[in-house]
Amino acid sequence: MYSLKLFRTFSNFMHNVTITFRRRKTSLGLWHEDINRDIKIKIEKYWSNEVLHREISNADPVYYVLPMFPYPSGNLHMGHVRVYSISDALTRFHKLNGYKVIHPIGWDAFGLPAENAAIERNIPPYKWTKSNIEKMKQQLLQLGFEFDWTREISTCNPHYYKWTQYIFLKLLENGLAYQCKAEVNWDPVDQTVLADEQVDDLGCSWRSGVKVEKKLLTQWFIKTTKYAKKLLDGLKDKSLENWKDIINLQRHWIGDCDGTVVTFKLNVDGTMKLFDVWTKNPYKYIHGTFIVMKSSHPLLQGHTYNSGLSCLNPITDSEMPVYMCDTVEYPEGRDVLIACPTQDETDNQIAQALQISIDQENKKDIAIESDSLKAIEIARNKNVGGHFVSSKLKDWLISRQRYWGTPIPIIYCPKCNIVPVPYEDLPVVLPELDTHSGIQTLQSLDNWVNCKCPKCHSNAKRETDTMDTFVDSSWYFYRFLDPKNEFAPFNKEKLKNSTPVDIYIGGKEHAVLHLYYARFMSYFLNSLGMTYVEEPFKKLLVQGMVMGQSYKVKSSGKYLPPENVEKFGEIYKEKGTGEPVLVQWEKMSKSKYNGENPERLLESYGCDMTRLLILADVPPGTPRRWSDATLPGCLNWQHRLWMTMREFLKYRANNFESNSLSPEEFKKIESKIWENRNYFTATTTYHFRDTQKLSVGISRLQSLTSTLRNNIPPEVYARSKEFELALAALIIMASPITPHFCSELWAGLLSAPHRISSHNSTINWENNVLEQNWPVVDDHYKLSFLCKVDGADRCELKIKAAELNNLHEERALQVMLNEESVQKWTRRGVLRQKYELYPGCRAILHIFTNKKQKQVEEV
């Protein structure tokens, strides 16, 4: 296509450039070859140190990107690849925007899966966990993720769980950790208690799949219900961004906080036992005359009552009779109610059914509202309750009867009863096991269990339950900010300007329980003055599940590997039998033969392509149907980028000149490139920064690539400043997705002679692509300013970027109300407005009118 002389000139130039680059670590100089797997692997190996190198930045402000830390199973799965590809891309994006980015990693290392796996292999859990961590860490490094490994933590490390135990003791001090007998879910296979939420709708264990049993056990709880109303109200916090349907999930879990709880004392065989009484009507704590309790209530089990029961009402400091009845309609989720038959007709009917006499003199008018407030105030002053909560929400059961967990720092003394382990004696370290043959509990380890009471020094025993792993993960995001602290869980000053977490990334399956417990813990730590904010997370990015195509025999439900299925038109059948096969998209699983091994992808395509494949096509919040259909488009994009750089270097090396384009034609092409560079910079920035729809941002970069390839004459490659700037912007914006590949492209760009935009202040031509500034639109480029009235688009203006970036809400409203197309729809008046400014991208003004109100009045 080109002359032999031109090709030789280019080849000689590339040879010289290659020698220079190898000395300066700037390029491999393989532009004369077609891009292929081997070249991409060479590129990734060559640039790995630069991509993984994390320079300690003193930049201000700080941006905290937190992906949920993984359980160390030993192998990454595609869900891991997706969540960490998202967090790494956002980390690199914000670094290019001048932030000091905190992007930590650690290991949620305790729990049943590791312990059961260790039992199967007859090795101690800590050895199994340690080897898995080492393996998974290597896989994360192979994927080029830029984690701050200096912040690495592991929840099974005594240096970490010492402070989990410390927080437990703080909860105990503040009356938020308590022990009581409760009916619990017992997994007979894993031999441990399960929280209600760990039992599925069929009554089976989330881990073993076996039918759970009910048992009465004395367990440790955390009184999360005391914070229920605050946690519910906190969902209205204006600092929360992009929580969307997660707010509804949290609200549903917490429930309507339409009642209060007070802790009463029941006289059981001469011992006062605590129990909670919930009611929608707090005045009953003052005026109630009896308590009704289900016969299945845990406090009534194992006791024979020949005479009437009584309890102590802490609000009135008086005794109240207690009646057992199973036919009463109790509040949802409760097995106790307090009755005031003189004021409540339902309670009156209960009294009649139980043949309880009512003192008619008590039938008097009472100040229900003021007495309700009075009862709540008394309860709070006495620290016996008074907090608002739904009837169905329960406290957090944290006791687990297995070895591999954080030991609960409690000692049982025959003389002193329950004694917390002194702070100076923390951590209570798990005893090491030489092997792990069969299920073991701490209870079986006498040398560890037997100890001295820290108060009276007599013989005592340690608590043998361990904590639910949700406790470990309920505060880790603060420890990441001060991971080496030996004197406290974290120093408050280290949280300054770094909290709340700017963006928290993880699966939707953790958007209820984990998020609820983490929010509770953050509120509690804030109440101690240990943090600056109550809400721990500013923005949530809930990633969709990675799904694979599965094949299941219709008649039996047996899953088949893909190679055992054949297709006849649109019909699938099992090979050999001809049985009809159902094809569906499901969560990836080995048992369903629909998984994808990240190591295969790394081996076949390299890490940049693996990251690109998982991020392209669908936004992070959408379930990802994994197939090879995405591959051709991604491979083609890399090929086009490579060809663009090859041709750019070729024409620049020769300083190509031609008279085939007139000055007007040249200027027209440059103008189009300028327009597209600004447009795609604005839209890519918007989707990377504001919507986190990385796939849409990638598609914009692919479109900018097309601009630089479609019908571009050689002299534009050779002499256009706009082409050079657009190519530079494209490589910079693609670098968070494919950092190795873009490092090589950038090295090629730097090598080009006859640079035209050397004095451009937005590009540092001495630095690599990972140290550049994210491109911004030119000040005189016009951006979209859209006005919506009652949800409908009514006017769109184009305003210069420099002006739009400084357009405040009051002025924005004034500008739009001067437009006839907006005036037409706002004649009834403006009820309120909401202004969204996305600097350098766009602005949207939402106007809400009195339209609906007027329509009602007219009817």
Side-chain angles (χ1 to χ4, degrees):
M1 183 181 292
Y2 306 108
S3 70
L4 183 60
K5 180 180 178 181
L6 178 61
F7 181 79
R8 284 174 177 169
T9 302
F10 173 63
S11 296
N12 291 335
F13 163 73
M14 289 310 307
H15 175 73
N16 294 331
V17 163
T18 300
I19 295 172
T20 305
F21 282 174
R22 289 209 181 274
R23 187 171 64 248
R24 295 175 53 203
K25 186 63 185 295
T26 47
S27 173
L28 285 168
L30 301 174
W31 307 109
H32 56 285
E33 298 184 35
D34 289 336
I35 189 71
N36 55 48
R37 174 199 172 276
D38 291 341
I39 288 179
K40 283 187 273 190
I41 297 299
K42 285 180 182 178
I43 288 172
E44 289 171 4
K45 184 177 180 180
Y46 184 71
W47 288 103
S48 62
N49 288 338
E50 284 72 20
V51 168
L52 291 173
H53 173 66
R54 187 175 182 87
E55 189 172 322
I56 303 301
S57 169
N58 294 318
D60 191 34
V62 172
Y63 197 88
Y64 190 174
V65 176
L66 180 64
M68 293 181 183
F69 64 169
Y71 156 70
S73 61
N75 287 292
L76 291 182
H77 55 65
M78 292 307 294
H80 291 131
V81 175
R82 191 178 198 194
V83 68
Y84 300 128
S85 294
I86 293 167
S87 71
D88 192 70
L90 294 178
T91 292
R92 295 181 185 279
F93 167 79
H94 286 288
K95 276 188 67 178
L96 293 171
N97 278 278
Y99 285 92
K100 174 185 176 182
V101 181
I102 297 172
H103 185 216
I105 189 66
W107 311 97
D108 192 6
F110 272 139
L112 273 176
E115 187 169 0
N116 287 344
I119 291 171
E120 290 173 9
R121 293 161 178 81
N122 196 29
I123 59 174
Y126 74 89
K127 286 186 177 180
W128 169 251
T129 301
K130 182 181 178 182
S131 66
N132 286 352
I133 287 174
E134 291 171 354
K135 185 175 181 181
M136 290 179 71
K137 183 173 182 177
Q138 189 58 39
Q139 290 175 322
L140 292 172
L141 291 170
Q142 288 174 348
L143 281 158
F145 295 139
E146 189 187 18
F147 289 117
D148 184 350
W149 290 100
T150 66
R151 299 180 185 271
E152 183 182 8
I153 59 176
S154 177
T155 59
C156 68
N157 189 316
H159 294 295
Y160 181 87
Y161 68 71
K162 169 183 180 177
W163 302 112
T164 303
Q165 293 171 342
Y166 172 95
I167 291 170
F168 173 87
L169 294 179
K170 287 295 179 184
L171 289 162
L172 188 68
E173 280 181 17
N174 287 271
L176 292 172
Y178 67 95
Q179 191 182 48
C180 75
K181 184 177 284 188
E183 185 180 68
V184 296
N185 304 303
W186 179 260
D187 185 324
V189 171
D190 283 334
Q191 296 184 27
T192 188
V193 163
L194 301 173
D196 286 343
E197 46 280 359
Q198 292 171 331
V199 180
D200 65 21
D201 294 338
L202 298 175
C204 297
S205 166
W206 71 297
R207 285 296 310 171
S208 68
V210 73
K211 202 82 170 177
V212 301
E213 302 170 355
K214 293 294 184 180
K215 272 193 175 186
L216 274 174
L217 294 174
T218 299
Q219 304 282 278
W220 282 97
F221 293 82
I222 295 176
K223 192 173 278 295
T224 50
T225 54
K226 187 172 183 179
Y227 279 74
K229 186 65 164 65
K230 290 195 74 173
L231 291 169
L232 184 66
D233 292 343
L235 296 171
K236 302 173 187 174
D237 193 319
K238 292 183 179 179
S239 70
L240 305 185
E241 295 181 18
N242 203 40
W243 281 47
K244 297 180 180 177
D245 59 331
I246 303 305
I247 285 182
N248 293 330
L249 291 175
Q250 285 283 301
R251 281 178 178 157
H252 178 74
W253 179 258
I254 296 170
D256 295 327
C257 296
D258 53 358
T260 57
V261 167
V262 169
T263 301
F264 282 52
K265 292 180 179 179
L266 180 69
N267 189 340
V268 179
D269 296 340
T271 303
M272 302 305 285
K273 299 287 187 179
L274 302 179
F275 70 101
D276 286 342
V277 178
W278 181 93
T279 180
K280 275 188 177 181
N281 305 295
Y283 75 87
K284 291 185 179 182
Y285 295 127
I286 295 176
H287 300 286
T289 55
F290 63 90
I291 296 287
V292 184
M293 186 179 285
K294 279 187 180 180
S295 61
S296 60
H297 192 285
L299 292 185
L300 303 182
Q301 305 310 300
H303 299 276
T304 303
Y305 299 99
N306 298 320
S307 57
L309 289 168
S310 66
C311 66
L312 179 65
N313 181 340
I315 305 302
T316 61
D317 288 325
S318 61
E319 282 199 358
M320 294 180 69
V322 177
Y323 299 91
M324 285 187 287
C325 182
D326 294 330
T327 58
V328 168
E329 186 176 344
Y330 291 91
E332 182 182 3
R334 298 283 166 173
D335 49 12
V336 177
L337 67 80
I338 185 169
C340 182
T342 59
Q343 303 296 325
D344 187 311
E345 179 56 32
T346 300
D347 292 352
N348 183 43
Q349 293 173 9
I350 293 173
Q352 292 179 15
L354 296 176
Q355 298 182 345
I356 300 171
S357 60
I358 302 171
D359 188 348
Q360 298 301 321
E361 293 183 5
N362 287 331
K363 285 190 175 180
K364 57 184 179 181
D365 291 333
I366 63 173
I368 289 178
E369 187 172 338
S370 62
D371 280 355
S372 290
L373 293 173
K374 180 181 177 182
I376 291 170
E377 183 180 7
I378 293 171
R380 291 179 177 177
N381 289 338
K382 288 187 172 185
N383 198 28
V384 292
H387 48 277
F388 285 90
V389 66
S390 73
S391 67
K392 65 179 183 179
L393 187 65
K394 302 294 179 62
D395 284 332
W396 182 5
L397 168 59
I398 67 163
S399 290
R400 297 295 182 268
Q401 291 69 42
R402 292 292 291 267
Y403 164 81
W404 192 234
T406 298
I408 297 175
I410 291 294
I411 290 172
Y412 297 101
C413 174
K415 298 178 181 177
C416 306
N417 202 6
I418 296 176
V419 181
V421 172
Y423 288 104
E424 60 270 22
D425 291 345
L426 298 179
V428 177
V429 179
L430 275 177
E432 290 190 6
L433 302 174
D434 293 331
T435 62
H436 203 76
S437 178
I439 293 175
Q440 291 195 23
T441 65
L442 293 175
Q443 192 173 14
S444 63
L445 305 174
D446 291 340
N447 290 338
W448 183 87
V449 172
N450 296 323
C451 63
K452 296 292 183 181
C453 173
K455 280 188 176 181
C456 69
H457 306 294
S458 60
N459 291 334
K461 292 184 181 293
R462 296 189 185 279
E463 169 62 71
T464 57
D465 283 354
T466 53
M467 295 189 207
D468 177 14
T469 55
F470 276 127
V471 184
D472 306 309
S473 61
S474 67
W475 69 282
Y476 76 109
F477 41 89
Y478 288 133
R479 183 66 177 179
F480 271 142
L481 299 174
D482 194 11
K484 304 295 191 294
N485 196 322
E486 296 180 3
F487 306 102
F490 47 84
N491 186 320
K492 185 176 180 179
E493 284 301 304
K494 293 290 183 74
L495 276 56
K496 197 171 187 179
N497 300 323
S498 300
T499 55
V501 173
D502 288 283
I503 185 163
Y504 194 32
I505 308 163
K508 194 169 185 176
E509 65 271 21
H510 300 301
V512 178
L513 283 183
H514 163 66
L515 188 58
Y516 172 68
Y517 295 142
R519 292 181 64 228
F520 161 79
M521 194 62 78
S522 184
Y523 273 67
F524 169 66
L525 294 174
N526 180 260
S527 74
L528 300 182
M530 294 175 65
T531 70
Y532 291 100
V533 294
E534 289 182 324
E535 286 292 342
F537 312 119
K538 185 176 182 181
K539 181 180 287 190
L540 295 180
L541 199 169
V542 179
Q543 68 163 36
M545 192 176 292
V546 182
M547 307 174 79
Q549 199 166 43
S550 65
Y551 303 91
K552 186 166 61 173
V553 177
K554 188 174 183 180
S555 60
S556 65
K558 181 181 74 171
Y559 285 95
L560 301 173
E563 59 269 21
N564 289 0
V565 177
E566 50 189 352
K567 185 179 181 182
F568 301 91
E570 296 300 315
I571 299 173
Y572 292 81
K573 293 184 178 181
E574 183 182 11
K575 287 182 180 178
T577 68
E579 283 278 338
V581 171
L582 296 175
V583 182
Q584 54 197 8
W585 291 94
E586 296 184 274
K587 181 180 178 180
M588 286 187 172
S589 168
K590 287 182 181 179
S591 63
K592 296 175 183 175
Y593 305 103
N594 68 340
E596 176 60 87
N597 186 351
E599 290 187 345
R600 184 191 74 83
L601 295 173
L602 287 170
E603 176 66 25
S604 301
Y605 308 116
C607 72
D608 277 3
M609 179 55 66
T610 299
R611 292 157 57 114
L612 179 57
L613 285 170
I614 200 70
L615 294 176
D617 276 10
V618 297
T622 304
R624 179 72 165 86
R625 292 185 170 186
W626 184 261
S627 74
D628 291 337
T630 309
L631 184 59
C634 293
L635 288 173
N636 184 48
W637 184 37
Q638 280 197 330
H639 172 72
R640 289 188 296 146
L641 285 168
W642 187 260
M643 291 296 296
T644 303
M645 184 54 64
R646 174 195 286 181
E647 292 172 12
F648 176 75
L649 290 173
K650 177 165 54 180
Y651 292 123
R652 284 296 173 95
N654 193 53
N655 198 17
F656 186 92
E657 291 189 18
S658 171
N659 296 322
S660 63
L661 284 180
S662 67
E664 291 77 17
E665 290 172 322
F666 188 89
K667 187 175 181 180
K668 184 178 180 181
I669 294 173
E670 277 215 311
S671 178
K672 178 184 176 182
I673 293 173
W674 178 87
E675 176 73 28
N676 281 312
R677 170 175 62 83
N678 279 286
Y679 173 75
F680 290 121
T681 295
T683 52
T684 301
T685 302
Y686 175 67
H687 289 297
F688 274 36
R689 183 190 66 200
D690 301 308
T691 72
Q692 285 79 50
K693 292 182 178 179
L694 301 178
S695 60
V696 182
I698 290 169
S699 72
R700 298 297 184 265
L701 297 177
Q702 291 170 334
S703 297
L704 181 54
T705 305
S706 297
T707 298
L708 299 180
R709 286 207 56 75
N710 295 345
N711 303 315
I712 299 296
E715 49 264 59
V716 174
Y717 280 92
R719 296 188 287 110
S720 171
K721 177 181 177 180
E722 287 304 328
F723 187 95
E724 187 174 271
L725 289 175
L727 182 56
L730 172 59
I731 297 170
I732 293 170
M733 290 190 290
S735 68
I737 308 298
T738 55
H740 305 84
F741 188 65
C742 288
S743 293
E744 183 67 12
L745 291 175
W746 187 260
L749 182 66
L750 293 185
S751 73
H754 311 115
R755 186 177 298 143
I756 301 169
S757 50
S758 298
H759 301 294
N760 188 289
S761 59
T762 63
I763 298 174
N764 188 335
W765 295 104
E766 300 302 317
N767 291 351
N768 70 38
V769 70
L770 305 176
E771 297 169 340
Q772 296 300 316
N773 295 316
W774 184 264
V776 295
V777 298
D778 295 338
D779 284 346
H780 57 291
Y781 178 74
K782 291 185 177 181
L783 295 167
S784 169
F785 176 27
L786 176 66
C787 180
K788 291 174 173 280
V789 181
D790 293 324
D793 294 357
R794 295 304 181 192
C795 179
E796 184 177 21
L797 304 177
K798 295 292 185 178
I799 298 180
K800 290 180 180 179
E803 297 175 14
L804 187 69
N805 291 342
N806 294 300
L807 187 65
H808 55 78
E809 183 172 336
E810 185 178 342
R811 175 61 181 155
L813 180 62
Q814 182 183 359
V815 168
M816 280 302 181
L817 290 179
N818 287 335
E819 295 294 320
E820 184 178 344
S821 58
V822 175
Q823 292 174 357
K824 176 182 176 181
W825 299 97
T826 56
R827 289 172 184 159
R828 294 189 177 93
V830 175
L831 187 64
R832 60 186 177 89
Q833 73 273 351
K834 177 184 176 184
Y835 182 54
E836 299 173 350
L837 173 62
Y838 303 99
C841 302
R842 64 185 64 180
I844 305 173
L845 177 67
H846 303 266
I847 295 178
F848 304 92
T849 71
N850 292 314
K851 177 182 177 182
K852 291 183 180 179
Q853 183 178 338
K854 291 290 184 182
Q855 287 176 341
V856 172
E857 290 174 357
E858 289 169 3
V859 172

